[in-house]
Every structure is written in structure tokens, then in C-alpha cells.
Amino acid sequence: MKYESNCTIDQIAEMLQQAASVLITTHLKPDGDALGSLVAMGAALERMGKTVQRWVMPPVPDNLSLLRDDVALTEIGEAGPPADAGEPDRIVVLDTGSWSQLEPLCGYLEPRYDRIIVIDHHLRGDDLSALRYVDSTAAACCEIAAALIDQLPVEPDALIRRALFVGLASDTGWFRFSNTTAQTHELAARLLRAGVDHAELYAQLEQGERPEKLRLLIRALDSLQLCNGGKAAVMTLRSSDFADTGAMPEETERFVDVPQAVRDVRVVALVTEQDDGPVRLSLRSKPGPGAINVSQLAQQFGGGGHARAAGAKVDGTLETVRERVIAALAALSMD
Ligand SMILES: [Mn+2]
């Protein structure tokens, strides 16, 4: 199966218009783009009179409370969906098409293949739905969601606009990452013109961290090791670093970006030990000629993602995974 679109935005819009009830969900541990596209789509469908369920698999980061607090979200735990979930006419899966990112829902989704629509901007995914719209040139799933909402008989209100902007800003690092395009800026401009307050959103999203996160960042930076002639950087976080600092696993967001401040560093890995599960690997690379495709690198570890940002969950101890990562980085040819 090729992970590419097998339908158009117009066709999806048509199907959603015909549906009376829609279930919307997104990947485990939703980020700004996942939650932003879910909230925007959910609001648009509700404005059209649809019965909408929104399922999220926690944790939802605290800084996203500006989205979470405005809508009714059903939190899906390890046990899977509620027994009274019913049979929605359509199921929309946003910002992922991978079973591994939907684990608690696999048993629910599998028999409902025919009514699932995946809307995604990742390079890879599984055959989990009859319909799929994938645009890997979209900086954020919210870009696709915005195009879809444009095809629906609904005028985006303040909630929808804010949710879309949060998705754009989150997945582009506030319009800095190489995935940012003219189209991204055009959508952002439209949202700003309609009244989105970007400075207020920046403060809420990026300046609302707990001091525990800074203490954990100190640990991460303290573990920094350069390899491949200083062109690759590896950081590690142990379970004990979380216990000592009081930081939460989800508070490592953006850590992997920090070593890219060093001129010669072209690729960064963050290897994180999890109390109850595989070792987490996050990878980032700088754009430019000869840029490292970290999506390919992540595949060596059973993961995936984007060319500049990818990750994997790897079985083994922190030490063995770290050694494997260092070996993989050392083997990269970077002139
Ligand atoms: Mn995304």
C-alpha cells in the first residue's frame, strides 16, 4: 500500500455533509496540531448541526488547555473506548495514519475500516481506512483541516481560527521550521486578519512552562555528547532525571531543538528512558544541502515521521539504545 491520498478534499467535504454523526480522533499524546485540527474540525461540524464526538488519548499538555477547556473531549484510557460509543456515520482520524499511534483504539477502529477517513501530513502510515487524504507538503494537519473547512457550509468562528493557528504555530515552531511554506503564511495571515491574537497565543503556548521543565532541561543539556566530528549531538534522559526534578515525560518537548543552536550540529537525538515502556527516541535535523533525513534514520529503529523531525520507540535498555543511536549517527556521511 502506498501511503497517499485516494480521495479529494471535496469528496471528504461531501461525505461529512451527508453524515449525521461524526467521531473525530487523533494520535496518542496529542500536540498542538493534533488538538488544533481536532477542535477546529469538531467545531465546524457542530456548527453544521452534526453530532460530534471528540476522542483524545491523554496526556494533553497543560499549555493546550486554551483549546481543551473550550470543548467537550472524551479521554480514552488504556482500556479503550467507552462501551456506549455508538456507531458514528463517519470516523475522522487526524494527524496520523499509524496503528502504533492509535493503540487504545485499534480494536474499535479495525472493524470500522470502511467509514474511517484519515487526514494526515506524515510521510508514512498504515492501511487503516477506506479513505485517506495525505499531503506531506502541508506543514500542519491544520492546513488541510482549514482547506476542508473552506469546503463546508460554515464560517470559521474565533474558536476555529484559534485552533487552526495553534496547529500551524506548533508544527512549524512558530513558522521557523523548513516545513513552513508560503501557503502556511497565507493561512496564518488570513487567521490574523480575522482577529487571532498571535502574541497572546505565544504567551499561552510557549511561556507557560513549570520550573520542573527547566530543571529537566538542565539534566538533558548536561548529558549532551557530540559525535561524528561534532556534527551530531545526543542527549539522554533517565527515569531518575524525571524523579529527581519532578518533571513529567511530556515536558521534554522542544528539548531536541536546543543543541541545533550550535553551528556545526546538523542532527540531534534525544534518548529518553520511560518507566513503563520502550526507550523513546526523538530526532531532528537542520535543513540545507546534504540535510540528514531523520525519517529514514528513525525507520532503522522501527519509527518514522518527517524528514526534519522524526522519532521511534525502541525496545532495550537506555544504554543499549544510546549506543545504537550513537553508532547510527557516527555512520552518517556529513561533509
Ligand atoms: Mn502534525
Side-chain angles (χ1 to χ4, degrees), residues 27 31 33-34 95 120-122 139-141 171 306:
H27 57 78
D31 53 17
D33 186 34
D95 200 31
D120 191 19
H121 68 127
H122 290 84
C141 191
D171 266 21
H306 305 283

Side-chain angles (χ1 to χ4, degrees), residues 234-278:
V234 185
M235 298 185 295
T236 47
L237 284 170
R238 298 169 184 285
S239 291
S240 58
D241 291 321
F242 292 89
D244 295 349
T245 59
M248 314 290 283
E250 59 271 23
E251 288 182 301
T252 60
E253 218 198 338
R254 301 266 194 258
F255 283 13
V256 71
D257 296 331
V258 178
Q260 298 198 66
V262 176
R263 185 185 52 199
D264 290 341
V265 168
R266 307 250 307 265
V267 53
V268 183
L270 171 63
V271 187
T272 308
E273 187 177 33
Q274 304 188 106
D275 262 342
D276 49 356

